Amino acid sequence: MTSRELYIFGSAFGLPSIDPHCLALIAYLSITGYEDYSIVECNDPALSPTGELPMLHDGKNWIGGANRILAYLSKTGHNADKRLSKEMVAKSVSHQALVDENLADAILFSWFADSENYIGSIRKTYSDLLPFPSRYYVPIQMKKSAIQRVQKYGGQIESSGSNLVNTSKTQIYDVARDCYRVLNRRLGEQDFLFGDAPTTLDAKVFGYLALQLYPEIPNRRFGMILESQFPRLARYCDRCRERFLSGVPKPISAAEATATAAAAGATDVQAGSGSSSNPFMYAGEWLKGMFQSSKTTHGATGGAKEKSAEERDFARKRALAVGLGLVAMVVYVIGNGLVVIGTEDDEEGGYSGAGEGAFGLVEGGAPMFEEVHVPTEDFDGDDD
């Protein structure tokens, strides 16, 4: 494995990642010709030094969060906007702020506030990606955080059966259409948003549009709006998909990445060394030490020898302590209401909780990225 890895949320809906920020980073690496790197499916933001995914490992550098990674790549010779003028860069930044706010909200609304989509597809998709025990409480955390965020658009959010939100009273579809309209004007008859070659804005827009167009979910309203009212944007997204994802490396698991790094004897993975530490290696080595065989150990010369009775007794007690710790964790989680075991009618299938999740949501429902406002400038002309 190379010394370059991009850690992302795993694949779903025929795309290499379920997360728009991860998709945008994959697209950006393709645009800038970032070569000889591996994609690692992680699915656990807690393992990132910054608590965020995507996370980039480049040599001894570990960078967490899409915007930090973009800044790092730009400074290290992988700048997708180097051909743009200052005026074009300013427009690109304004458009990125627009899509980061409005198209992110559209996906959150579609996936989590729409009960039919959540129950019929999204909850299971995330549960299949997440490790134990996260799969039992993270999806409901995400749902609660998402609903808290999109309530500002109005409309009644239903939580049972196939009775969806009252779409006649919610503003989110108008907000999404306005954003599509701005992008459609910007695109015009060009192949990409700033001409014949893609830029950072194309990478970001693709990350959001792809997750509105391609997922086969029960209620594809945003995808249908794109296909019927903005077909040029839909064709543009297809073009980006073919361009950006054709040469994506085959993903590996975090466990495989750890094992390969350990076999290579990596020297840049010291625990507690700040941004140069490898949290996957540290966790992997800790688990290895906790559950290694109690039968043998290796001496200074590398030969195997039998453990003493005291060492075997200590290993048994350590395993028992770990087991008791796991039981205590489960009791704590259930006792504090982080997980509620119930029927399909209880909290959308028996899940409940609050805390950190994925897709830009962290504890308390706050977005992982800063809130931004829709730019007030006049964006380029009228729609077709």
Side-chain angles (χ1 to χ4, degrees), residues 20 32 44 48 103 109 132 154 167 169 177-178 180 206 238 315 321 375:
T32 59
D44 188 355
S48 165
L103 296 191
F109 188 93
F132 174 86
T167 57
K169 296 182 179 180
R177 283 191 189 93
D178 288 343
Y180 298 152
F206 170 72
D238 291 338

Side-chain angles (χ1 to χ4, degrees), residues 360-373:
L361 298 174
V362 295
E363 187 170 355
M368 185 175 290
F369 45 84
E370 294 182 359
E371 291 286 347
V372 296
H373 300 284

Side-chain angles (χ1 to χ4, degrees), residues 49-100:
T50 60
E52 297 170 272
L53 290 177
M55 178 176 69
L56 180 68
H57 174 209
D58 187 0
K60 292 187 177 182
N61 297 311
W62 295 83
I63 309 97
N67 289 333
R68 294 188 191 93
I69 294 173
L70 290 174
Y72 170 81
L73 291 171
S74 179
K75 291 179 181 178
T76 55
H78 297 88
N79 184 0
D81 298 335
K82 59 184 178 182
R83 68 178 181 82
L84 299 183
S85 66
K86 290 183 178 180
E87 180 182 358
M88 289 180 175
V89 169
K91 285 189 175 183
S92 176
V93 171
S94 295
H95 283 71
Q96 288 177 50
L98 181 71
V99 299
D100 277 338

Side-chain angles (χ1 to χ4, degrees), residues 18-69:
I18 196 174
D19 183 82
H21 307 299
C22 295
L23 282 179
L25 256 296
I26 292 172
Y28 188 92
L29 295 182
S30 173
I31 292 170
T32 59
Y34 193 82
E35 299 176 343
D36 195 27
Y37 76 98
S38 301
I39 289 181
V40 182
E41 290 192 356
C42 169
N43 299 318
D44 188 355
L47 294 178
S48 165
T50 60
E52 297 170 272
L53 290 177
M55 178 176 69
L56 180 68
H57 174 209
D58 187 0
K60 292 187 177 182
N61 297 311
W62 295 83
I63 309 97
N67 289 333
R68 294 188 191 93
I69 294 173

Side-chain angles (χ1 to χ4, degrees), residues 111-379:
W111 287 10
F112 298 102
D114 185 326
S115 295
E116 187 173 1
N117 286 341
Y118 177 74
I119 296 173
S121 177
I122 300 304
R123 182 179 63 188
K124 183 180 186 304
T125 300
Y126 271 106
S127 295
D128 290 344
L129 288 174
L130 294 167
F132 174 86
S134 300
R135 64 175 63 120
Y136 295 111
Y137 60 87
V138 165
I140 193 61
Q141 293 173 348
M142 297 176 68
K143 177 179 172 65
K144 288 186 175 181
S145 297
I147 289 178
Q148 181 181 358
R149 174 165 170 160
V150 300
Q151 278 179 335
K152 61 187 177 183
Y153 297 106
Q156 182 181 358
I157 298 176
E158 300 291 345
S159 60
S160 63
S162 58
N163 188 15
L164 305 181
V165 295
N166 187 340
T167 57
S168 64
K169 296 182 179 180
T170 183
Q171 299 175 350
I172 187 63
Y173 296 106
D174 292 334
V175 168
R177 283 191 189 93
D178 288 343
C179 189
Y180 298 152
R181 194 170 291 113
V182 168
L183 295 174
N184 201 48
R185 294 173 191 156
R186 176 74 255 171
L187 181 62
E189 298 300 326
Q190 306 171 118
D191 286 341
F192 299 100
L193 293 168
F194 283 99
D196 296 333
T199 63
T200 303
L201 181 60
D202 294 286
K204 280 205 170 186
V205 169
F206 170 72
Y208 290 113
L209 293 187
L211 289 172
Q212 294 179 329
L213 269 175
Y214 302 130
E216 291 296 330
I217 54 180
N219 181 19
R220 293 185 61 253
R221 181 159 185 179
F222 288 103
M224 293 171 65
I225 290 173
L226 280 167
E227 291 167 345
S228 62
Q229 300 178 27
F230 301 91
R232 189 165 60 192
L233 277 183
R235 293 193 300 271
Y236 158 79
C237 191
D238 291 338
R239 188 160 57 248
C240 288
R241 184 182 191 179
E242 183 178 357
R243 170 74 177 268
F244 301 154
L245 304 186
S246 59
V248 172
K250 182 179 179 181
I252 62 175
S253 68
E256 289 176 290
T258 299
T260 304
T267 59
D268 63 325
V269 288
Q270 307 274 328
S273 59
S275 64
S276 64
S277 67
N278 181 340
F280 298 96
M281 174 67 75
Y282 181 59
E285 288 302 305
W286 182 83
L287 288 172
K288 180 180 177 182
M290 290 299 292
F291 295 103
Q292 65 182 353
S293 172
S294 61
K295 294 287 186 181
T296 61
T297 186
H298 294 274
T301 60
K305 65 178 182 180
E306 286 291 328
K307 286 188 174 183
S308 67
E310 290 81 3
E311 289 174 322
R312 291 195 297 272
D313 183 59
F314 174 77
R316 284 193 296 270
K317 291 180 179 178
R318 180 171 58 184
L320 179 61
V322 171
L324 291 174
L326 290 174
V327 172
M329 180 193 73
V330 172
V331 172
Y332 173 82
V333 167
I334 295 176
N336 285 273
L338 299 179
V339 173
V340 176
I341 308 300
T343 64
E344 186 66 22
D345 294 330
D346 296 332
E347 277 301 332
E348 301 295 350
Y351 298 119
S352 179
E356 71 169 12
F359 189 16
L361 298 174
V362 295
E363 187 170 355
M368 185 175 290
F369 45 84
E370 294 182 359
E371 291 286 347
V372 296
H373 300 284
V374 178
T376 57
E377 64 175 289
D378 185 11
F379 284 98

